[in-house]
Each structure stands twice: as C-alpha cells, then as structure tokens.
Amino acid sequence: MFGAGGGTSSYEEVEHTDLIVLWGSNARETHPIFFHHVLKGIRNGAKLVVVDPRRTTSAEWADLWLGIDVGSDVALSNAMAREIIVSGLVNETFVKRATMRFKAYRDSVMDWTLERGEQATGIPAEVIREFAHAYAKADRAEICWTLGITEHHNAVDNVLSLINLGLLSGHVGRYGSGLNPLRGQNNVQGGGDMGAIPNKLPGFQDIENDPEACARYEEVCGVAVIPKYGKNLTQMFEAMEHGDLSALYVIGENPASSEADVGRARKLLGNLDTLIVQDLFMTKTATMADVLLPASNAALESDGTVTNSERRVQRVRKVLEPPGNAKDDIWIIAQLAKRLGFDWGELTPRAAWDELRLISPMHAGMTYERLEALGGIRWPCWDEDHEGTLFLHGRLWEEDKDKRGPKAPFSVTPFEPPVDELTDEFPLRRTTGRRLDSYNTGVQTGGYTSPLRRGETIDMSPEDADRLGVVDDEVVRVTSRRGSLDVPVRVDRGLRPGLVFMTLHFPDQVDTNILTIDATDPKSGTAEFKASAVRIEKISESVGA
C-alpha cells in the first residue's frame, strides 16, 4: 500500500514507544533478537499487547493478551476501527490531510459492533474496546506482525486491515509510531529488496508500471526487461500441475518439505523434466534433484551485504573457505550465465552491489565504505550525502501539500473465515508455528543439539486432552481432509479448547504439511499454513474402527 515492502520503523523506536503490539507474532521464540528491543521498550515504560490464538511465551510478558480465534484478524481490526470512530478517537487532522478513501472504509466497518467482533473473534467485547482505546489514545504505538498475519488465504487483507488502524490513529510516519512486518530470517528483507519477487525490479520498482525503472535497468544491464509479471511460488506449482512448467531451479529453498499439502507438492516436483537445486544441505528437495549445485554459507563463506527487518543494510565478510566442492552462489550463477552466452567476467559481490546502486535509487548512496563507516544504513539512501532513513513516510505529516505527496489510501477489508471449515468430522483448528530452538523444516538446525529441543508433538489444551482421554507422550492419529499422521501428544496450558498446534521442524519424524490445506491468497500467493481443520483419535480406537 505504501509502495515498498519494508517496515516503517527502526528497532530503536520500539525501545522508545508507548505501546507495542505483537499481532500474530511470537517474537520471544521466532525473533528473539528483536524481542530484546521489545523488552527494552517495556523497561522504558511501554505497554505490550499480544494478539495470538496461543498464550505464547511472548504473551507472558504482555499487559494484555487477546486470544483470538485463528483467521479472524480482519474481524478484530474492523471492530476496533468502528470503536475508534464512534468514540471520537480518530486522528481527524491526519486522516483529512494525509489519507484517502476514508468514507468507504468508515462505511464498511460500521456494522462491526463490539458484540459482532466478540462473536467472530472469540475475544470479549470489553477487551476489544480496551485494546482499541489504548491504541488510539497512545501518543506513539508500533504494530509488529509476522506469519500469524500473512500465512492465510486473505493475507493481504489482513495486512491492509492493520495499516487501516495505523492510518485511522495517525500511527505512521512519526518517530515511535509505525507498522512493521518482522522477517523470518536475516536476509528475507534483502531478497525482496534485490527483486527476488515476480513483479518488482530491485528497489521495489514495478515491472509493468514503471517504464523509467525498466529503461534504467536496460541501460545498465544491456538486456530488455519484459514488462510482464512473473509467477509466484503458488502459481509455479499450478503451472506444473497444468503442464506449463517443466523445469525448476531452486536456490536455498526446500519446497518438498515446506509447501502446504506437501504430498501434492512432491508429486509435482517429481513430474518435472528437470529439477536443479542449489543449496548448503542435502534437503528433501535436493534428494529429488536432477542437478545438484553445492553452495556456500553466505554468513561465513561469502562477502556481500545483508538487510534486516528495520531496512538496515550491513556488510558481511568471508571468514572461512567453503568445504569440498561448495561454491559461492554468485560464482555459480555467473558460471551458469556464461554457459548461457552471457560472460560477466570476474563477478565479485562488490561489483554486483555497485551495479545495484545504479539500478535501485533507494540504494544509490550506499557504498561499501559508507556501510562500514556507519555500521549499516537503512534504506532509502538516495545519495552519498544521505545518512539513510530512520522511519518511513514522514512526508505524510508535512504541512506543504507538494512535500506531502500522494495520500495514503484506506482499504475496505471484508472478513473471510478460514477456508478449511470446522465440522463434526474435523472439529479442531490446527495452527502451525516455530519454536525457539529450531527453524522451519529443521535443515539448518537439526544437525545441532539443544537442551530446549524435543521432537514433534501435537500440542493441545488440558480440556481437549481430558475429553479425548489422552496424556502426554501418547501417540494419537491426526487427520485432515488431505491425510493422516501419527503424532505424540503434548498438553499445553497456553492453548484454548478447540485449538491444537504443530511445527514443521521435524518432517522426517512427523510430516506436518501432509495435513496443511493449500488454499492460497490470490494477491500474494501465500498458503494458509495457519488454519487447517483436523480430528484427533486414539490409535487403538482408530485401528479398531
């Protein structure tokens, strides 16, 4: 909505704000470094609100925990918005001066009474009211979210609904007030910044609608840009299914374990004419490859840059030689280009970065020397006299209309419950997430021991365990509309009745994504990992049936 895929605020601001909202984010376990900034903010007097279906370890630090029903985030946002509007808490000056489409948005939320919000979200009406008033009345407030917002079939609307709240209350474009997606690992932000998304050139320049950017790219690189969006990951699998995609080049990704409805994903990968995998590890996907390219560890065995969730670009430096036949990613790609008829010469990370600075205006001022001297620079950094940008969209507060620039639009966000409906046959809502000691499909962390690590379990509330007659470590059968798994039980007092939880960390032990629905958001291509319907049976009863 703001035109660039990055958080509006810096980590520093989280330490000096008045209200921190973790919405769909268990940052204590999934973003532990960032959570230290949250703790500093709490010590400095900030209040913490956590919106999460589970009472997580992050929620244990909260002044207010909203145990939301999975997939009802838009309903909560809309109910909060109505309460802010009818209570006269809208930042009228900001809304009139810096936003557009407010009337359509206001009309769309006026049916979302607190009582309707309670019915849709499972959160008591008075708690929704308390949260709405706390957010709107705060002098400074930061909303931070992660996959609990984006891994849904309506992911984009979920994000837009949070942006609506920021616009309504004027909590954007000011120090200590912002809207921040927390990235899942250290260079996810950098990947997007560099154009590793199907509709953007580096620097979030649109492929179809920015002819000036395309012309600049063509001038620097000597290759014409086809002004047509490519396919996201979900669309690639659809193309495989329809026979329109027969070759795949996978770099640092493990879709044979990480995709929703993973049985379907493996079948489609297996039917490809050619599968090329470039990775550090022998992943499940790598075992299926026709061609395997061993890569090096970018954190220790490569030079270059990395970008974190506060948009800070930092230098990384090679300290080890890659083992065996492993090569740097940039070397492998340059060698492939040469064999395809494009000789880039001795391509170095610095040369690639300097070329990027010619293509992406928001990186133009970031020389290697300045990155080192300043300890990193937050984009945008327009020239070599610019020190980078602490927070984004400050222009929205300018008195001068010309300096203020384009207005920020409100978005109408209708509520849509999860696709995988709860029924008598599948009465439990299964959600997924990460733990502190492990990462995603376990490829990067499984080779190391941890005193915190335990194997995969199906976590459930004490009430559900009693109803089902199961106890800790008992193996049960978990079934969705896509398949079944046998999983040990873990009773978790942080879960409410009707909600169960699993991770993706141990696919060799429990192939969690066998159960996951592949419903996707048509705007982002993100699958609904967070909301599947399941039933749980005792093994003896299941076998006996």
Side-chain angles (χ1 to χ4, degrees):
M1 188 213 75
F2 289 116
T8 69
S9 303
S10 62
Y11 292 165
E12 169 192 317
E13 293 168 74
V14 175
E15 300 176 12
H16 299 287
T17 192
D18 300 307
L19 180 68
I20 304 167
V21 179
L22 295 178
W23 197 317
S25 169
N26 182 17
R28 172 66 184 85
E29 296 193 42
T30 61
H31 296 84
I33 303 302
F34 171 77
F35 197 72
H36 283 293
H37 297 281
V38 173
L39 292 178
K40 288 181 180 179
I42 292 171
R43 293 189 188 104
N44 288 333
K47 299 295 184 182
L48 175 64
V49 176
V50 172
V51 182
D52 199 298
R54 301 184 295 140
R55 191 175 187 276
T56 62
T57 54
S58 299
E60 292 173 4
W61 288 88
D63 297 277
L64 182 65
W65 167 57
L66 285 74
I68 191 172
D69 288 348
V70 174
S72 63
D73 304 277
V74 165
L76 175 58
S77 174
N78 286 350
M80 288 176 62
R82 181 190 182 277
E83 176 63 21
I84 290 169
I85 291 168
V86 300
S87 299
L89 299 176
V90 176
N91 191 316
E92 299 281 359
T93 301
F94 180 79
V95 168
K96 290 177 181 177
R97 185 168 59 190
T99 73
M100 57 192 293
R101 302 175 192 163
F102 172 66
K103 184 179 184 301
Y105 172 66
R106 180 192 62 198
D107 293 346
S108 74
V109 301
M110 290 312 289
D111 289 337
W112 279 97
T113 63
L114 293 176
E115 292 71 26
R116 184 184 177 192
E118 177 176 348
Q119 184 178 20
T121 67
I123 301 168
E126 62 271 20
V127 177
I128 298 176
R129 181 184 185 278
E130 180 183 355
F131 180 23
H133 282 247
Y135 181 71
K137 292 177 180 178
D139 182 46
R140 296 170 295 181
E142 300 277 0
I143 295 181
C144 306
W145 67 89
T146 52
L147 302 182
I149 283 293
T150 56
E151 286 187 342
H152 289 276
H153 78 283
N154 57 342
V156 171
D157 281 351
N158 280 348
V159 173
L160 291 174
S161 75
L162 303 187
I163 292 172
N164 286 335
L165 292 177
L167 296 178
L168 196 62
S169 305
H171 284 314
V172 65
R174 295 188 292 123
Y175 184 87
S177 280
L179 300 154
N180 305 291
L182 306 178
R183 303 310 190 185
Q185 64 186 56
N186 65 351
N187 205 25
V188 168
Q189 182 67 54
D193 296 352
M194 297 302 107
I197 41 182
N199 61 336
K200 302 290 184 182
L201 293 171
F204 300 103
Q205 300 170 103
D206 196 274
I207 290 173
E208 291 187 350
N209 302 311
D210 193 340
E212 184 179 329
C214 291
R216 183 166 50 244
Y217 188 96
E218 291 170 12
E219 180 182 354
V220 172
C221 298
V223 179
V225 175
I226 300 172
K228 182 180 178 181
Y229 293 159
K231 295 182 184 342
N232 60 40
L233 184 59
T234 299
Q235 292 166 336
M236 290 182 200
F237 275 94
E238 290 172 353
M240 291 180 217
E241 198 162 39
H242 298 146
D244 297 328
L245 182 63
S246 59
L248 195 67
Y249 181 15
V250 180
I251 305 177
E253 187 82 8
N254 186 22
S257 293
S258 62
E259 278 301 286
D261 194 0
V262 76
R264 167 181 172 268
R266 288 172 187 161
K267 179 181 177 181
L268 294 174
L269 290 169
N271 288 338
L272 290 168
D273 292 342
T274 306
L275 176 60
I276 304 168
V277 174
Q278 181 172 320
D279 210 304
L280 294 174
F281 301 99
M282 185 60 73
T283 64
K284 179 73 174 178
T285 309
T287 65
M288 303 176 69
D290 299 292
V291 178
L292 183 59
L293 302 171
S296 63
N297 183 332
L300 298 174
E301 299 160 0
S302 302
D303 281 316
T305 61
V306 63
T307 309
N308 67 8
S309 294
E310 65 166 354
R311 299 169 282 105
R312 184 192 293 268
V313 180
Q314 301 169 86
R315 286 275 286 115
V316 292
R317 298 161 186 82
K318 182 176 181 178
V319 295
L320 297 172
E321 289 299 323
N325 292 321
K327 301 292 185 181
D328 197 345
D329 288 315
I330 199 169
W331 184 90
I332 296 172
I333 293 169
Q335 292 299 311
L336 284 174
K338 187 174 183 179
R339 285 158 175 77
L340 291 169
F342 297 90
D343 190 348
W344 295 340
E346 187 65 29
L347 182 61
T348 65
R350 179 165 188 158
W353 180 258
D354 285 340
E355 181 180 90
L356 167 81
R357 293 173 51 230
L358 299 175
I359 296 169
S360 171
M362 73 182 200
H363 293 95
M366 297 186 187
T367 65
Y368 264 29
E369 289 78 13
R370 296 191 76 224
L371 289 174
E372 292 175 359
L374 298 176
I377 302 173
R378 300 179 191 87
W379 61 253
C381 176
W382 306 111
D383 56 54
E384 293 185 33
D385 293 322
H386 196 285
E387 292 189 358
T389 306
L390 188 64
F391 59 87
L392 301 180
H393 314 304
R395 64 174 180 81
L396 294 173
W397 292 89
E398 291 283 354
E399 297 278 353
D400 187 305
K401 181 180 179 180
D402 293 333
K403 291 182 179 179
R404 194 160 61 241
K407 291 186 174 184
F410 281 95
S411 302
V412 173
T413 52
F415 170 54
E416 297 178 4
V419 173
D420 213 8
E421 294 183 15
L422 298 179
T423 63
D424 290 342
E425 185 179 7
F426 300 101
L428 298 170
R429 178 63 70 203
R430 190 215 62 171
T431 193
T432 60
R434 300 211 302 255
R435 301 182 198 153
L436 177 62
D437 62 274
S438 298
Y439 181 74
N440 278 12
T441 60
V443 172
Q444 297 180 62
T445 53
Y448 302 90
T449 59
S450 168
L452 301 176
R453 186 167 299 148
R454 50 185 169 79
E456 189 54 74
T457 55
I458 179 82
D459 296 358
M460 66 179 68
S461 69
E463 294 86 349
D464 284 333
D466 288 344
R467 179 178 57 81
L468 293 165
V470 298
V471 296
D472 275 330
D473 300 322
E474 179 178 349
V475 177
V476 296
R477 182 151 299 157
V478 184
T479 303
S480 75
R481 293 179 173 92
R482 289 148 296 281
S484 297
L485 297 170
D486 293 346
V487 194
V489 166
R490 177 177 175 269
V491 178
D492 182 356
R493 295 185 181 277
L495 291 171
R496 296 169 296 131
L499 178 67
V500 295
F501 174 81
M502 298 177 72
T503 79
L504 314 179
H505 298 328
F506 308 98
D508 293 336
Q509 174 199 352
V510 176
D511 219 351
T512 298
N513 274 336
I514 289 288
L515 305 173
T516 304
I517 189 170
D518 64 351
T520 56
D521 178 15
K523 299 174 184 176
S524 68
T526 307
E528 193 155 61
F529 289 92
K530 296 301 183 189
S532 295
V534 301
R535 68 171 179 267
I536 296 176
E537 304 161 285
K538 292 177 72 73
I539 293 291
S540 57
E541 293 177 2
S542 177
V543 172

